[in-house]
Amino acid sequence: MKKSLFASFMMLVSLAAYAQPQVVAHRGYWKTEGSAQNSVTSMELAAKHKLYGCEFDVWQTSDGVLVCNHDGVIDGIRIEDVPYAKVQYCKMSNGELMPTVAQYLREGAKYPNLKMVFEIKTHKNDERNASVVDNVIRLVRELGVQNQVEYIAFSKFICERLHKLDPQAKVAYLNGNLSPKEVKALGLSGIDYNHSVFKKNPSWLKEAKECGLEVNVWTVNGEQALKEHAANPYIDLITTDDPIVLKKILKGGKKNKEGKGKDGKKNKKNKKNK
Ligand code: MG
Protein backbone atom coordinates (compact mmCIF):
# COMPACT_ATOMS: atom_id res chain seq x y z
CA MET A 1 0.00 0.00 0.00
CA LYS A 2 2.76 2.39 1.08
CA LYS A 3 4.71 1.41 -1.99
CA SER A 4 1.84 2.15 -4.36
CA LEU A 5 1.15 5.51 -2.66
CA PHE A 6 4.80 6.37 -3.06
CA ALA A 7 4.72 5.37 -6.74
CA SER A 8 1.63 7.54 -7.33
CA PHE A 9 3.28 10.45 -5.53
CA MET A 10 6.41 10.11 -7.63
CA MET A 11 4.31 10.00 -10.77
CA LEU A 12 2.54 13.21 -9.76
CA VAL A 13 5.89 14.85 -9.07
CA SER A 14 7.20 13.81 -12.47
CA LEU A 15 4.04 14.98 -14.25
CA ALA A 16 4.13 18.28 -12.35
CA ALA A 17 7.61 18.74 -13.74
CA TYR A 18 6.18 17.93 -17.16
CA ALA A 19 8.58 18.72 -19.90
CA GLN A 20 7.51 19.01 -23.49
CA PRO A 21 7.90 15.87 -25.57
CA GLN A 22 11.06 15.38 -27.58
CA VAL A 23 10.98 15.37 -31.37
CA VAL A 24 12.16 12.27 -33.21
CA ALA A 25 12.39 12.49 -37.00
CA HIS A 26 10.90 9.29 -38.42
CA ARG A 27 13.48 7.83 -40.85
CA GLY A 28 15.36 11.12 -40.52
CA TYR A 29 14.25 14.50 -41.79
CA TRP A 30 13.42 13.45 -45.31
CA LYS A 31 10.43 15.60 -46.35
CA THR A 32 12.64 18.25 -47.86
CA GLU A 33 14.55 18.73 -51.09
CA GLY A 34 17.66 16.63 -51.52
CA SER A 35 16.85 14.28 -48.65
CA ALA A 36 15.60 10.69 -48.53
CA GLN A 37 14.41 8.32 -45.82
CA ASN A 38 17.28 6.72 -43.90
CA SER A 39 19.92 8.65 -45.84
CA VAL A 40 22.91 10.24 -44.14
CA THR A 41 21.55 13.56 -45.40
CA SER A 42 18.27 13.00 -43.49
CA MET A 43 20.24 12.41 -40.30
CA GLU A 44 22.43 15.48 -40.82
CA LEU A 45 19.31 17.60 -41.42
CA ALA A 46 17.76 16.30 -38.19
CA ALA A 47 20.92 17.37 -36.37
CA LYS A 48 21.06 20.76 -38.08
CA HIS A 49 17.46 21.46 -37.08
CA LYS A 50 18.44 20.56 -33.51
CA LEU A 51 15.92 17.75 -33.19
CA TYR A 52 16.24 15.38 -30.26
CA GLY A 53 16.53 12.28 -32.38
CA CYS A 54 16.66 10.66 -35.75
CA GLU A 55 15.06 7.27 -36.22
CA PHE A 56 16.51 4.85 -38.79
CA ASP A 57 15.97 1.25 -39.89
CA VAL A 58 18.58 -1.48 -39.95
CA TRP A 59 18.98 -4.68 -41.94
CA GLN A 60 21.93 -7.06 -42.11
CA THR A 61 23.26 -8.66 -45.29
CA SER A 62 24.02 -12.38 -45.39
CA ASP A 63 27.72 -11.66 -44.74
CA GLY A 64 27.01 -9.57 -41.65
CA VAL A 65 27.12 -5.99 -42.95
CA LEU A 66 24.55 -3.67 -41.34
CA VAL A 67 22.82 -1.22 -43.68
CA CYS A 68 20.19 1.51 -43.36
CA ASN A 69 16.95 0.99 -45.27
CA HIS A 70 13.32 0.77 -44.30
CA ASP A 71 12.22 -2.08 -46.53
CA GLY A 72 13.88 -5.46 -46.48
CA VAL A 73 14.08 -5.27 -50.27
CA ILE A 74 15.99 -2.70 -52.31
CA ASP A 75 15.97 -2.64 -56.10
CA GLY A 76 14.23 -6.04 -56.03
CA ILE A 77 16.99 -7.60 -53.88
CA ARG A 78 16.19 -9.04 -50.43
CA ILE A 79 18.96 -7.53 -48.31
CA GLU A 80 19.26 -10.31 -45.73
CA ASP A 81 19.66 -12.97 -48.43
CA VAL A 82 22.67 -11.50 -50.24
CA PRO A 83 26.22 -10.46 -49.40
CA TYR A 84 26.90 -6.73 -49.14
CA ALA A 85 28.65 -6.71 -52.54
CA LYS A 86 25.23 -7.25 -54.16
CA VAL A 87 23.67 -4.13 -52.63
CA GLN A 88 26.59 -1.78 -52.10
CA TYR A 89 25.75 0.33 -55.15
CA CYS A 90 22.00 0.55 -54.45
CA LYS A 91 20.83 4.12 -54.12
CA MET A 92 18.34 5.97 -51.98
CA SER A 93 15.75 8.18 -53.67
CA ASN A 94 18.03 11.26 -53.39
CA GLY A 95 20.81 9.51 -55.32
CA GLU A 96 22.90 8.78 -52.21
CA LEU A 97 24.27 5.25 -51.85
CA MET A 98 22.42 3.19 -49.26
CA PRO A 99 24.56 3.84 -46.17
CA THR A 100 26.09 1.15 -44.05
CA VAL A 101 25.26 1.56 -40.38
CA ALA A 102 28.97 2.17 -39.70
CA GLN A 103 28.96 5.11 -42.11
CA TYR A 104 25.72 6.43 -40.64
CA LEU A 105 26.94 6.23 -37.04
CA ARG A 106 30.33 7.79 -37.89
CA GLU A 107 28.58 10.77 -39.45
CA GLY A 108 26.10 10.91 -36.57
CA ALA A 109 28.96 11.02 -34.07
CA LYS A 110 29.81 14.45 -35.47
CA TYR A 111 26.55 15.70 -33.89
CA PRO A 112 26.84 14.53 -30.28
CA ASN A 113 23.57 16.18 -29.24
CA LEU A 114 21.60 14.07 -31.69
CA LYS A 115 20.18 10.74 -30.52
CA MET A 116 20.23 8.01 -33.12
CA VAL A 117 17.10 5.93 -32.65
CA PHE A 118 18.17 2.60 -34.02
CA GLU A 119 15.38 0.32 -35.23
CA ILE A 120 16.54 -3.23 -35.75
CA LYS A 121 14.21 -4.88 -38.23
CA THR A 122 12.96 -8.41 -37.62
CA HIS A 123 15.00 -10.83 -39.75
CA LYS A 124 13.97 -14.28 -40.97
CA ASN A 125 14.66 -16.23 -37.77
CA ASP A 126 16.00 -15.70 -34.28
CA GLU A 127 19.41 -17.11 -35.17
CA ARG A 128 19.70 -14.25 -37.65
CA ASN A 129 18.17 -11.77 -35.19
CA ALA A 130 20.76 -12.78 -32.59
CA SER A 131 23.59 -12.25 -35.04
CA VAL A 132 22.23 -8.81 -35.98
CA VAL A 133 21.99 -7.72 -32.34
CA ASP A 134 25.50 -9.01 -31.57
CA ASN A 135 26.95 -7.13 -34.54
CA VAL A 136 25.02 -3.97 -33.68
CA ILE A 137 26.25 -3.94 -30.07
CA ARG A 138 29.83 -4.64 -31.19
CA LEU A 139 29.77 -1.86 -33.80
CA VAL A 140 28.22 0.72 -31.48
CA ARG A 141 30.90 -0.05 -28.86
CA GLU A 142 33.70 0.05 -31.44
CA LEU A 143 32.58 3.49 -32.59
CA GLY A 144 32.04 4.66 -29.00
CA VAL A 145 28.53 6.00 -29.68
CA GLN A 146 26.67 4.15 -26.90
CA ASN A 147 25.48 7.45 -25.41
CA GLN A 148 24.01 8.58 -28.69
CA VAL A 149 22.12 5.40 -29.49
CA GLU A 150 18.65 4.31 -28.36
CA TYR A 151 17.22 1.04 -29.62
CA ILE A 152 13.74 0.09 -30.78
CA ALA A 153 12.42 -3.16 -32.26
CA PHE A 154 9.18 -4.99 -32.99
CA SER A 155 10.76 -8.30 -32.02
CA LYS A 156 10.61 -9.14 -28.32
CA PHE A 157 13.57 -11.46 -28.86
CA ILE A 158 15.66 -8.59 -30.28
CA CYS A 159 14.68 -6.23 -27.45
CA GLU A 160 15.55 -8.78 -24.77
CA ARG A 161 18.88 -9.60 -26.36
CA LEU A 162 19.79 -5.91 -26.69
CA HIS A 163 19.00 -5.42 -23.01
CA LYS A 164 20.99 -8.51 -22.04
CA LEU A 165 24.09 -7.46 -23.98
CA ASP A 166 23.92 -3.80 -22.94
CA PRO A 167 21.83 -3.36 -19.79
CA GLN A 168 22.60 0.39 -19.73
CA ALA A 169 21.14 0.98 -23.20
CA LYS A 170 17.70 2.41 -23.75
CA VAL A 171 15.54 -0.23 -25.42
CA ALA A 172 11.89 0.34 -26.32
CA TYR A 173 9.43 -2.24 -27.60
CA LEU A 174 7.45 -1.35 -30.73
CA ASN A 175 4.95 -4.08 -31.28
CA GLY A 176 2.09 -2.72 -29.17
CA ASN A 177 0.87 -6.11 -27.94
CA LEU A 178 2.36 -6.01 -24.43
CA SER A 179 1.12 -3.91 -21.54
CA PRO A 180 3.58 -1.50 -19.91
CA LYS A 181 3.84 -3.85 -16.91
CA GLU A 182 4.80 -6.72 -19.21
CA VAL A 183 7.41 -4.58 -20.95
CA LYS A 184 8.81 -3.46 -17.60
CA ALA A 185 9.09 -7.09 -16.52
CA LEU A 186 11.38 -7.70 -19.52
CA GLY A 187 13.72 -5.03 -18.15
CA LEU A 188 13.23 -2.67 -21.10
CA SER A 189 13.30 1.11 -20.70
CA GLY A 190 10.27 2.10 -22.73
CA ILE A 191 7.37 1.53 -25.05
CA ASP A 192 7.28 2.99 -28.53
CA TYR A 193 3.76 2.29 -29.75
CA ASN A 194 1.63 3.35 -32.66
CA HIS A 195 -0.84 6.08 -31.66
CA SER A 196 -3.74 3.67 -32.35
CA VAL A 197 -2.49 1.38 -29.56
CA PHE A 198 -2.95 4.14 -26.98
CA LYS A 199 -6.41 4.88 -28.35
CA LYS A 200 -7.37 1.24 -27.79
CA ASN A 201 -5.65 1.07 -24.39
CA PRO A 202 -5.86 4.57 -22.91
CA SER A 203 -4.86 3.36 -19.43
CA TRP A 204 -1.45 2.28 -20.74
CA LEU A 205 -0.08 5.82 -20.75
CA LYS A 206 -0.59 6.20 -17.01
CA GLU A 207 0.50 2.62 -16.39
CA ALA A 208 3.74 3.26 -18.30
CA LYS A 209 4.51 6.27 -16.10
CA GLU A 210 3.76 4.28 -12.94
CA CYS A 211 6.23 1.64 -14.15
CA GLY A 212 8.85 4.29 -14.92
CA LEU A 213 8.83 3.53 -18.64
CA GLU A 214 9.56 6.14 -21.26
CA VAL A 215 6.71 6.62 -23.75
CA ASN A 216 7.31 7.23 -27.43
CA VAL A 217 4.42 7.37 -29.91
CA TRP A 218 4.61 6.87 -33.69
CA THR A 219 4.01 7.98 -36.37
CA VAL A 220 2.14 11.19 -35.59
CA ASN A 221 1.73 13.44 -38.62
CA GLY A 222 -0.19 16.59 -39.44
CA GLU A 223 -0.62 19.68 -37.31
CA GLN A 224 -3.82 18.70 -35.50
CA ALA A 225 -2.62 15.27 -34.39
CA LEU A 226 0.75 16.68 -33.40
CA LYS A 227 -0.88 19.37 -31.28
CA GLU A 228 -3.02 16.79 -29.47
CA HIS A 229 -0.06 14.53 -28.74
CA ALA A 230 2.22 17.43 -27.79
CA ALA A 231 -0.30 18.44 -25.10
CA ASN A 232 -0.40 14.96 -23.55
CA PRO A 233 1.76 14.98 -20.41
CA TYR A 234 2.27 11.21 -20.46
CA ILE A 235 4.16 11.26 -23.77
CA ASP A 236 7.94 11.69 -23.65
CA LEU A 237 8.78 11.45 -27.34
CA ILE A 238 6.87 11.89 -30.58
CA THR A 239 8.10 10.22 -33.74
CA THR A 240 6.92 12.11 -36.80
CA ASP A 241 7.43 12.65 -40.51
CA ASP A 242 6.76 16.35 -39.80
CA PRO A 243 9.45 17.19 -37.25
CA ILE A 244 9.68 20.86 -38.12
CA VAL A 245 5.90 21.29 -37.76
CA LEU A 246 6.12 19.69 -34.32
CA LYS A 247 9.08 21.83 -33.35
CA LYS A 248 7.10 24.96 -34.23
CA ILE A 249 4.10 23.73 -32.23
CA LEU A 250 6.29 23.13 -29.19
CA LYS A 251 7.95 26.50 -29.52
CA GLY A 252 4.52 28.15 -29.81
CA GLY A 253 3.30 26.19 -26.78
CA LYS A 254 6.16 27.47 -24.69
CA LYS A 255 5.46 31.04 -25.68
CA ASN A 256 1.72 30.64 -25.14
CA LYS A 257 2.28 29.26 -21.65
CA GLU A 258 4.40 32.19 -20.59
CA GLY A 259 2.64 34.76 -22.75
CA LYS A 260 6.05 36.13 -23.56
CA GLY A 261 8.75 35.51 -26.10
CA LYS A 262 12.40 34.86 -25.27
CA ASP A 263 13.10 38.59 -25.13
CA GLY A 264 10.48 39.08 -22.41
CA LYS A 265 8.17 40.99 -24.74
CA LYS A 266 4.59 39.88 -25.17
CA ASN A 267 4.36 37.23 -27.81
CA LYS A 268 2.65 38.78 -30.81
CA LYS A 269 3.11 35.70 -32.92
CA ASN A 270 0.77 33.50 -30.89
CA LYS A 271 -2.16 34.07 -33.18
CA LYS A 272 -0.12 33.10 -36.19
CA ASN A 273 0.97 29.86 -34.52
CA LYS A 274 -2.58 28.68 -33.92
MG1 MG B 1 11.48 2.49 -38.41
Side-chain angles (χ1 to χ4, degrees), residues 55 57 119 121:
E55 187 260 1
D57 305 289
E119 181 183 346
K121 290 294 188 187

Side-chain angles (χ1 to χ4, degrees), residues 15 58 73 86 148 165 183-184 186:
L15 288 177
V58 172
V73 173
K86 294 271 184 198
Q148 252 186 287
L165 295 186
V183 172
K184 184 70 182 178
L186 300 176

Side-chain angles (χ1 to χ4, degrees), residues 26-27 55-57 70 119 121 152 174:
H26 182 232
R27 305 179 198 168
E55 187 260 1
F56 65 109
D57 305 289
H70 179 264
E119 181 183 346
K121 290 294 188 187
I152 56 176
L174 285 168

Side-chain angles (χ1 to χ4, degrees), residues 228-246:
E228 284 167 20
H229 285 83
N232 189 325
Y234 293 103
I235 294 173
D236 301 302
L237 305 114
I238 297 176
T239 302
T240 175
D241 292 318
D242 299 321
I244 306 307
V245 177
L246 177 55

